[in-house]
Amino acid sequence: MHSGAPVNMRILPAPAGSGIVFRRVDLDGFEMEATGRNVARVSYATSLMKKGVLISTTEHLLSAFIGTGIDNAIVELDNLELPILDGSAQPFVALIQKAGIRKQRRPRTYLKIARNLELREGDKFIAVYPGQSYSVSYTINFPHPLIGKETFALDLEDGNYLREIAPARTFGAREDEQAMRNMGLIRGASRENCIVLSKSGIENPPLRFDDEFVRHKVLDLIGDLALLGKQILGAVVADRAGHAMHTALVSRLLRDKTLWEETTVEEENIRPAPAATRALERQLV
Ligand SMILES: [Zn+2]
């Protein structure tokens, strides 16, 4: 999307407890954990950096992992940016489903929110509150005739993510294109991998949802919060936030361990992604 660099990616199984680990096969197999501690810079995408090595635009794949209930995987890349595919998480989800999901013996540990945490920056807001499942509510206010103020809320269970969020594509305005290219961004952008907004509509209809824009922000948020390294039990609320606010929330949570506790949930009520996984398993059977 941003570098325009061709890339090959391969997702491999990993032992229980390893989390998501990126591996740069073009750099002697250099490994980088998908954690907030490795967040480098965030503007139009989230990038990780460790010892000067960059892995860019991680949010859509990490979002797909949360949505399909994948806790452990190795992601091999032979370049610095993940593939954008169609701009959504759907192709990743489809490939994960096709490869199949193996349940590992060790119980999943959740990051259970214990105290409210609210961050504000101008008119941007993001917060997380205690809750019994993982839920997200996002509001955007984008000055475009097709968008304006949109709010989308969902609980990530029973396959909600797969139906409601995974297909939502990223978007950009034609009038911002030159400025972004001048910043060295969106070199790989095309009508095939993002919704292109014109002044009054979109250049590449149809939309997959009337409110596809805010749904994509939910997708991004879930992908950025995956950098916590654990599934969340709590309610996340965001208003006009972006990658920087999402990852600021991750950093605060990782720094302040009084905000949450680690917990495993009994088999019969494991939530939220296991429900999605069960829906997946049904599809796979
Ligand atoms: Zn995105």
PDB file of all heavy atoms in Angstrom, residues 161-179:
ATOM      1  N   TYR A 161     -17.331 -10.582  13.667  1.00  0.00           N
ATOM      2  CA  TYR A 161     -16.195  -9.971  12.981  1.00  0.00           C
ATOM      3  C   TYR A 161     -16.160 -10.421  11.514  1.00  0.00           C
ATOM      4  O   TYR A 161     -15.981  -9.614  10.613  1.00  0.00           O
ATOM      5  CB  TYR A 161     -14.880 -10.354  13.677  1.00  0.00           C
ATOM      6  CG  TYR A 161     -13.659  -9.825  12.953  1.00  0.00           C
ATOM      7  CD1 TYR A 161     -13.119  -8.587  13.284  1.00  0.00           C
ATOM      8  CD2 TYR A 161     -13.069 -10.545  11.909  1.00  0.00           C
ATOM      9  CE1 TYR A 161     -12.019  -8.086  12.599  1.00  0.00           C
ATOM     10  CE2 TYR A 161     -11.974 -10.045  11.227  1.00  0.00           C
ATOM     11  CZ  TYR A 161     -11.453  -8.819  11.578  1.00  0.00           C
ATOM     12  OH  TYR A 161     -10.375  -8.320  10.887  1.00  0.00           O
ATOM     13  N   LEU A 162     -16.332 -11.725  11.313  1.00  0.00           N
ATOM     14  CA  LEU A 162     -16.198 -12.268   9.962  1.00  0.00           C
ATOM     15  C   LEU A 162     -17.248 -11.685   9.017  1.00  0.00           C
ATOM     16  O   LEU A 162     -16.961 -11.387   7.867  1.00  0.00           O
ATOM     17  CB  LEU A 162     -16.304 -13.793   9.995  1.00  0.00           C
ATOM     18  CG  LEU A 162     -15.328 -14.483  10.959  1.00  0.00           C
ATOM     19  CD1 LEU A 162     -15.566 -15.981  10.966  1.00  0.00           C
ATOM     20  CD2 LEU A 162     -13.880 -14.172  10.579  1.00  0.00           C
ATOM     21  N   ARG A 163     -18.445 -11.513   9.537  1.00  0.00           N
ATOM     22  CA  ARG A 163     -19.530 -10.983   8.697  1.00  0.00           C
ATOM     23  C   ARG A 163     -19.491  -9.472   8.556  1.00  0.00           C
ATOM     24  O   ARG A 163     -19.697  -8.932   7.473  1.00  0.00           O
ATOM     25  CB  ARG A 163     -20.890 -11.350   9.315  1.00  0.00           C
ATOM     26  CG  ARG A 163     -21.379 -12.751   9.057  1.00  0.00           C
ATOM     27  CD  ARG A 163     -22.855 -12.863   9.474  1.00  0.00           C
ATOM     28  NE  ARG A 163     -23.087 -12.346  10.821  1.00  0.00           N
ATOM     29  CZ  ARG A 163     -22.943 -13.069  11.935  1.00  0.00           C
ATOM     30  NH1 ARG A 163     -22.599 -14.340  11.850  1.00  0.00           N
ATOM     31  NH2 ARG A 163     -23.166 -12.542  13.118  1.00  0.00           N
ATOM     32  N   GLU A 164     -19.280  -8.797   9.680  1.00  0.00           N
ATOM     33  CA  GLU A 164     -19.531  -7.352   9.727  1.00  0.00           C
ATOM     34  C   GLU A 164     -18.293  -6.486   9.517  1.00  0.00           C
ATOM     35  O   GLU A 164     -18.409  -5.318   9.174  1.00  0.00           O
ATOM     36  CB  GLU A 164     -20.159  -6.967  11.084  1.00  0.00           C
ATOM     37  CG  GLU A 164     -21.334  -7.819  11.508  1.00  0.00           C
ATOM     38  CD  GLU A 164     -22.568  -7.566  10.662  1.00  0.00           C
ATOM     39  OE1 GLU A 164     -22.605  -6.547   9.941  1.00  0.00           O
ATOM     40  OE2 GLU A 164     -23.486  -8.406  10.695  1.00  0.00           O
ATOM     41  N   ILE A 165     -17.114  -7.026   9.792  1.00  0.00           N
ATOM     42  CA  ILE A 165     -15.912  -6.197   9.805  1.00  0.00           C
ATOM     43  C   ILE A 165     -14.876  -6.619   8.758  1.00  0.00           C
ATOM     44  O   ILE A 165     -14.333  -5.768   8.043  1.00  0.00           O
ATOM     45  CB  ILE A 165     -15.263  -6.237  11.217  1.00  0.00           C
ATOM     46  CG1 ILE A 165     -16.252  -5.695  12.264  1.00  0.00           C
ATOM     47  CG2 ILE A 165     -13.955  -5.450  11.248  1.00  0.00           C
ATOM     48  CD1 ILE A 165     -16.691  -4.254  12.038  1.00  0.00           C
ATOM     49  N   ALA A 166     -14.588  -7.896   8.670  1.00  0.00           N
ATOM     50  CA  ALA A 166     -13.494  -8.358   7.802  1.00  0.00           C
ATOM     51  C   ALA A 166     -13.583  -7.829   6.362  1.00  0.00           C
ATOM     52  O   ALA A 166     -12.559  -7.468   5.779  1.00  0.00           O
ATOM     53  CB  ALA A 166     -13.423  -9.886   7.807  1.00  0.00           C
ATOM     54  N   PRO A 167     -14.773  -7.738   5.752  1.00  0.00           N
ATOM     55  CA  PRO A 167     -14.825  -7.289   4.344  1.00  0.00           C
ATOM     56  C   PRO A 167     -14.663  -5.776   4.150  1.00  0.00           C
ATOM     57  O   PRO A 167     -14.579  -5.333   3.001  1.00  0.00           O
ATOM     58  CB  PRO A 167     -16.235  -7.707   3.887  1.00  0.00           C
ATOM     59  CG  PRO A 167     -16.767  -8.633   4.940  1.00  0.00           C
ATOM     60  CD  PRO A 167     -16.097  -8.217   6.213  1.00  0.00           C
ATOM     61  N   ALA A 168     -14.631  -4.993   5.230  1.00  0.00           N
ATOM     62  CA  ALA A 168     -14.622  -3.523   5.078  1.00  0.00           C
ATOM     63  C   ALA A 168     -13.242  -3.035   4.625  1.00  0.00           C
ATOM     64  O   ALA A 168     -12.230  -3.309   5.269  1.00  0.00           O
ATOM     65  CB  ALA A 168     -15.029  -2.861   6.398  1.00  0.00           C
ATOM     66  N   ARG A 169     -13.225  -2.297   3.520  1.00  0.00           N
ATOM     67  CA  ARG A 169     -11.949  -1.879   2.906  1.00  0.00           C
ATOM     68  C   ARG A 169     -11.484  -0.498   3.373  1.00  0.00           C
ATOM     69  O   ARG A 169     -12.287   0.350   3.751  1.00  0.00           O
ATOM     70  CB  ARG A 169     -12.100  -1.842   1.371  1.00  0.00           C
ATOM     71  CG  ARG A 169     -12.315  -3.197   0.726  1.00  0.00           C
ATOM     72  CD  ARG A 169     -12.888  -3.042  -0.661  1.00  0.00           C
ATOM     73  NE  ARG A 169     -14.212  -2.380  -0.593  1.00  0.00           N
ATOM     74  CZ  ARG A 169     -14.809  -1.818  -1.624  1.00  0.00           C
ATOM     75  NH1 ARG A 169     -14.233  -1.832  -2.817  1.00  0.00           N
ATOM     76  NH2 ARG A 169     -16.007  -1.245  -1.477  1.00  0.00           N
ATOM     77  N   THR A 170     -10.193  -0.287   3.257  1.00  0.00           N
ATOM     78  CA  THR A 170      -9.620   1.006   3.563  1.00  0.00           C
ATOM     79  C   THR A 170     -10.069   2.021   2.503  1.00  0.00           C
ATOM     80  O   THR A 170     -10.576   1.651   1.448  1.00  0.00           O
ATOM     81  CB  THR A 170      -8.077   0.907   3.644  1.00  0.00           C
ATOM     82  OG1 THR A 170      -7.558   2.105   4.195  1.00  0.00           O
ATOM     83  CG2 THR A 170      -7.453   0.667   2.281  1.00  0.00           C
ATOM     84  N   PHE A 171      -9.909   3.288   2.808  1.00  0.00           N
ATOM     85  CA  PHE A 171     -10.400   4.309   1.886  1.00  0.00           C
ATOM     86  C   PHE A 171      -9.477   5.518   1.890  1.00  0.00           C
ATOM     87  O   PHE A 171      -8.727   5.749   2.834  1.00  0.00           O
ATOM     88  CB  PHE A 171     -11.824   4.731   2.257  1.00  0.00           C
ATOM     89  CG  PHE A 171     -11.970   5.233   3.682  1.00  0.00           C
ATOM     90  CD1 PHE A 171     -11.952   6.595   3.962  1.00  0.00           C
ATOM     91  CD2 PHE A 171     -12.126   4.338   4.727  1.00  0.00           C
ATOM     92  CE1 PHE A 171     -12.090   7.056   5.270  1.00  0.00           C
ATOM     93  CE2 PHE A 171     -12.259   4.796   6.042  1.00  0.00           C
ATOM     94  CZ  PHE A 171     -12.242   6.148   6.312  1.00  0.00           C
ATOM     95  N   GLY A 172      -9.549   6.279   0.816  1.00  0.00           N
ATOM     96  CA  GLY A 172      -8.748   7.490   0.729  1.00  0.00           C
ATOM     97  C   GLY A 172      -9.393   8.445  -0.263  1.00  0.00           C
ATOM     98  O   GLY A 172     -10.147   8.021  -1.144  1.00  0.00           O
ATOM     99  N   ALA A 173      -9.113   9.727  -0.102  1.00  0.00           N
ATOM    100  CA  ALA A 173      -9.707  10.741  -0.970  1.00  0.00           C
ATOM    101  C   ALA A 173      -8.760  11.074  -2.120  1.00  0.00           C
ATOM    102  O   ALA A 173      -7.567  11.260  -1.905  1.00  0.00           O
ATOM    103  CB  ALA A 173     -10.020  11.996  -0.169  1.00  0.00           C
ATOM    104  N   ARG A 174      -9.326  11.125  -3.315  1.00  0.00           N
ATOM    105  CA  ARG A 174      -8.535  11.477  -4.491  1.00  0.00           C
ATOM    106  C   ARG A 174      -7.815  12.806  -4.280  1.00  0.00           C
ATOM    107  O   ARG A 174      -6.673  12.978  -4.666  1.00  0.00           O
ATOM    108  CB  ARG A 174      -9.454  11.535  -5.727  1.00  0.00           C
ATOM    109  CG  ARG A 174      -8.788  11.917  -7.027  1.00  0.00           C
ATOM    110  CD  ARG A 174      -7.766  10.893  -7.488  1.00  0.00           C
ATOM    111  NE  ARG A 174      -8.359   9.669  -8.019  1.00  0.00           N
ATOM    112  CZ  ARG A 174      -7.653   8.578  -8.341  1.00  0.00           C
ATOM    113  NH1 ARG A 174      -6.338   8.553  -8.175  1.00  0.00           N
ATOM    114  NH2 ARG A 174      -8.256   7.502  -8.800  1.00  0.00           N
ATOM    115  N   GLU A 175      -8.471  13.744  -3.596  1.00  0.00           N
ATOM    116  CA  GLU A 175      -7.865  15.084  -3.463  1.00  0.00           C
ATOM    117  C   GLU A 175      -6.671  15.089  -2.495  1.00  0.00           C
ATOM    118  O   GLU A 175      -5.883  16.019  -2.509  1.00  0.00           O
ATOM    119  CB  GLU A 175      -8.904  16.132  -3.051  1.00  0.00           C
ATOM    120  CG  GLU A 175      -9.595  15.857  -1.743  1.00  0.00           C
ATOM    121  CD  GLU A 175     -10.585  16.981  -1.395  1.00  0.00           C
ATOM    122  OE1 GLU A 175     -10.608  17.997  -2.106  1.00  0.00           O
ATOM    123  OE2 GLU A 175     -11.318  16.821  -0.404  1.00  0.00           O
ATOM    124  N   ASP A 176      -6.527  14.035  -1.682  1.00  0.00           N
ATOM    125  CA  ASP A 176      -5.361  13.961  -0.789  1.00  0.00           C
ATOM    126  C   ASP A 176      -4.198  13.215  -1.429  1.00  0.00           C
ATOM    127  O   ASP A 176      -3.106  13.137  -0.868  1.00  0.00           O
ATOM    128  CB  ASP A 176      -5.720  13.217   0.512  1.00  0.00           C
ATOM    129  CG  ASP A 176      -6.793  13.929   1.308  1.00  0.00           C
ATOM    130  OD1 ASP A 176      -6.928  15.161   1.129  1.00  0.00           O
ATOM    131  OD2 ASP A 176      -7.500  13.257   2.083  1.00  0.00           O
ATOM    132  N   GLU A 177      -4.473  12.627  -2.617  1.00  0.00           N
ATOM    133  CA  GLU A 177      -3.517  11.682  -3.192  1.00  0.00           C
ATOM    134  C   GLU A 177      -2.127  12.289  -3.379  1.00  0.00           C
ATOM    135  O   GLU A 177      -1.127  11.718  -2.942  1.00  0.00           O
ATOM    136  CB  GLU A 177      -4.044  11.168  -4.531  1.00  0.00           C
ATOM    137  CG  GLU A 177      -3.102  10.168  -5.184  1.00  0.00           C
ATOM    138  CD  GLU A 177      -3.566   9.743  -6.581  1.00  0.00           C
ATOM    139  OE1 GLU A 177      -4.636  10.204  -7.029  1.00  0.00           O
ATOM    140  OE2 GLU A 177      -2.837   8.966  -7.206  1.00  0.00           O
ATOM    141  N   GLN A 178      -2.067  13.468  -4.010  1.00  0.00           N
ATOM    142  CA  GLN A 178      -0.759  14.019  -4.342  1.00  0.00           C
ATOM    143  C   GLN A 178       0.058  14.331  -3.092  1.00  0.00           C
ATOM    144  O   GLN A 178       1.240  14.011  -2.997  1.00  0.00           O
ATOM    145  CB  GLN A 178      -0.886  15.253  -5.238  1.00  0.00           C
ATOM    146  CG  GLN A 178       0.388  15.575  -6.013  1.00  0.00           C
ATOM    147  CD  GLN A 178       0.977  14.340  -6.734  1.00  0.00           C
ATOM    148  OE1 GLN A 178       0.282  13.647  -7.485  1.00  0.00           O
ATOM    149  NE2 GLN A 178       2.250  14.024  -6.477  1.00  0.00           N
ATOM    150  N   ALA A 179      -0.612  14.910  -2.096  1.00  0.00           N
ATOM    151  CA  ALA A 179       0.092  15.245  -0.848  1.00  0.00           C
ATOM    152  C   ALA A 179       0.656  13.987  -0.196  1.00  0.00           C
ATOM    153  O   ALA A 179       1.782  13.980   0.305  1.00  0.00           O
ATOM    154  CB  ALA A 179      -0.864  15.956   0.105  1.00  0.00           C
TER     155      ALA A 179
END
